Amino acid sequence: MASHAEAQKWGFRITPIRVLLLLLSAVATAIIIYRLVTGLGTVTNLSDEWPWGLWIAFDVMCGVALAGGGYGTALIVHVLHRDYFLPIARSAMLTSLIGYLLVMAGLFLDIGQWFNFWRPFVSWGHSSVLFEVFWCVSCYTTVQILEFAEIATERVGTKFHNIAKAALPVLMIVGIIFPTLHQSSLGGLYLLMVDKLYPLWWSPIIFLFFLISSFFVGPAMICVETTLAGKAYDHWIPIPILRKLIRISGYAMIVYLILKIYDLMSRDVFGLMFNGTFEANMFLIEMVFGIIIPIFICFSGFSASRTGLFVFGLLVSSGVVLNRMNVVIIGMIRSTGVSYVPSLGEFIVSAGLVAMGVLAYCFIVENFRILEHDDHHAMPPNEQPS
């Protein structure tokens, strides 16, 4: 006898917002095809003087960081056995999986000769940091796809469900190792930029800053995602769960802030943040709104409300995005002497990839047990959004 999940029809609600997302995805797909046929120069404003632009800064650097909620949640729930956070495990894993698939797409699009994408699989550049990043991101994305099999086989290929479930603990452990490597290695790429990256961002421990920020942004993204999912699907994660989760993020941010201050002072560049330059102002915005204010929110009574949790998540996520954009673009302008403004095509493709991710999330949530794998969490009457 077929289970209820197997008998359930496939569905995908069409709303005005989703129509706009579908149109944006279609336009982005057309531009992507045109870029693959004609090359980078016809679609982007990249050059030999400025080879890394929006697709690396946002689609890859930001995408990898924001998708880090998967490994952080897996570490907390499945390795440290904090089952208290189990209700958010599947949604965090799904967001991470979609994020990494989009990162792979962005990385693929930024390869000049994209048809040579397979070469790192057979040409092993052991001394290259990019080679390590390529392999770790590829392997982790594969692991996440295999992890999703435990969810997928609840409805499709149910005879393999027990196998997928049995393999999950091993996949979880492996899936925690790879992100710690490539999250830090993405920062390690800029160790080579000692004379190019502005001193407020360059650091001999920039790899550690990238790793810590990829960890504390995970709970922040979960706050944003659960708030939006709650409004869309009336499935609300209890506030105490989210509040305890962001406390973990808050402690990590305190460590990050202390290390950042120590690093700036030890290199005698602490005063640069107050010299009024464009770089200094961008750095201050990043630190104040992305780190300091969220720390206060995290340990204040404001975090006991859904509004506070959402504001915390939005500020931290935006702060990490700004940090990656500062490192890849803002911090490099002064040394290169070259101005770079992303083309309209670059913006549309990046926005289109995000639209595709949102649509994929909605489809999977509406057809698999992502939010409803435990007891349904309805928002209490006193928590109803205004």
Side-chain angles (χ1 to χ4, degrees):
M1 181 177 179
S3 67
H4 173 72
E6 292 174 317
Q8 182 185 4
K9 293 182 179 179
W10 297 92
F12 183 72
R13 291 187 289 115
I14 299 298
T15 65
I17 293 179
R18 294 186 185 185
V19 171
L20 291 176
L21 293 176
L22 286 168
L23 290 175
L24 180 56
S25 300
V27 174
T29 300
I31 295 176
I32 288 171
I33 295 173
Y34 181 71
R35 172 267 175 272
L36 295 177
V37 173
T38 62
L40 282 171
T42 59
V43 174
T44 73
N45 284 337
L46 299 176
S47 63
D48 291 340
E49 292 76 22
W50 200 288
W52 284 5
L54 182 66
W55 291 347
I56 290 295
F58 182 76
D59 299 3
V60 177
M61 292 289 194
C62 296
V64 166
L66 297 180
Y71 87 91
T73 306
L75 174 64
I76 295 169
V77 175
H78 297 286
V79 177
L80 301 180
H81 300 293
R82 299 294 188 267
D83 294 341
Y84 185 75
F85 299 109
L86 197 59
I88 51 92
R90 283 195 172 190
S91 58
M93 187 274 288
L94 174 60
T95 305
S96 182
L97 170 60
I98 293 174
Y100 268 89
L101 289 174
L102 296 179
V103 166
M104 294 292 286
L107 192 58
F108 176 76
L109 290 175
D110 203 73
I111 300 174
Q113 295 183 335
W114 58 268
F115 41 82
N116 286 323
F117 76 93
W118 54 273
R119 291 192 180 275
F121 288 111
V122 297
S123 179
W124 287 43
H126 303 90
S127 60
S128 170
V129 178
L130 271 176
F131 173 78
E132 186 267 346
V133 171
F134 171 86
W135 264 94
C136 284
V137 171
S138 300
C139 290
Y140 182 54
T141 304
T142 303
V143 168
Q144 285 191 305
I145 293 173
L146 294 175
E147 288 175 351
F148 184 74
E150 191 262 340
I151 298 174
T153 52
E154 290 178 344
R155 180 168 186 181
V156 180
T158 53
K159 61 181 179 180
F160 299 108
H161 181 64
N162 289 335
I163 297 175
K165 191 173 182 179
L168 191 60
V170 176
L171 292 172
M172 287 289 182
I173 295 174
V174 175
I176 291 171
I177 296 173
F178 282 119
T180 59
L181 296 176
H182 66 252
Q183 294 282 5
S184 59
S185 294
L186 284 171
L189 288 171
Y190 284 85
L191 288 172
L192 303 173
M193 308 294 184
V194 60
D195 296 322
K196 294 183 178 180
L197 182 59
Y198 197 73
L200 286 174
W201 292 290
W202 187 89
S203 167
I205 57 172
I206 188 174
F207 61 91
L208 185 58
F209 290 135
F210 267 55
L211 178 60
I212 297 175
S213 60
S214 74
F215 178 77
F216 67 63
V217 78
M221 280 298 294
I222 290 171
C223 286
V224 174
E225 181 241 323
T226 54
T227 299
L228 298 178
K231 290 182 177 294
Y233 300 105
D234 194 29
H235 184 276
W236 300 93
I237 302 299
I239 287 178
I241 293 179
L242 295 176
R243 199 179 188 195
K244 283 191 175 182
L245 187 66
I246 69 167
R247 286 292 176 91
I248 298 173
S249 186
Y251 288 123
M253 283 192 290
I254 291 174
V255 173
Y256 179 93
L257 180 60
I258 293 173
L259 283 175
K260 179 69 74 172
I261 294 173
Y262 170 78
D263 172 67
L264 294 174
M265 295 184 70
S266 66
R267 291 187 292 113
D268 198 26
V269 295
F270 186 83
L272 285 181
M273 72 174 77
F274 304 111
N275 64 10
T277 62
F278 180 58
E279 292 91 346
N281 292 335
M282 292 300 291
F283 181 82
L284 286 175
I285 292 172
E286 171 194 324
M287 295 302 298
V288 172
F289 291 95
I291 299 293
I292 297 175
I293 292 178
I295 288 175
F296 281 105
I297 294 176
C298 178
F299 296 99
S300 72
F302 191 36
S303 64
S305 66
R306 295 201 181 272
T307 300
L309 291 168
F310 182 73
V311 171
F312 171 87
L314 201 60
L315 286 176
V316 174
S317 302
S318 300
V320 171
V321 168
L322 181 58
N323 170 259
R324 300 309 194 256
M325 299 295 285
N326 281 337
V327 169
V328 180
I329 298 177
I330 303 301
M332 300 290 288
I333 293 176
R334 187 179 296 269
S335 64
T336 60
V338 178
S339 61
Y340 163 77
V341 177
S343 68
L344 180 61
E346 289 177 80
F347 279 116
I348 293 176
V349 168
S350 293
L353 290 176
V354 174
M356 294 176 197
V358 173
L359 291 170
Y361 178 90
C362 293
F363 175 81
I364 294 172
V365 164
E366 292 171 11
N367 290 279
F368 294 92
R369 293 202 303 159
I370 303 298
L371 303 179
E372 301 296 336
H373 65 285
D374 56 355
D375 291 334
H376 178 76
H377 294 290
M379 179 180 282
N382 62 333
E383 291 184 19
Q384 292 294 334
S386 58

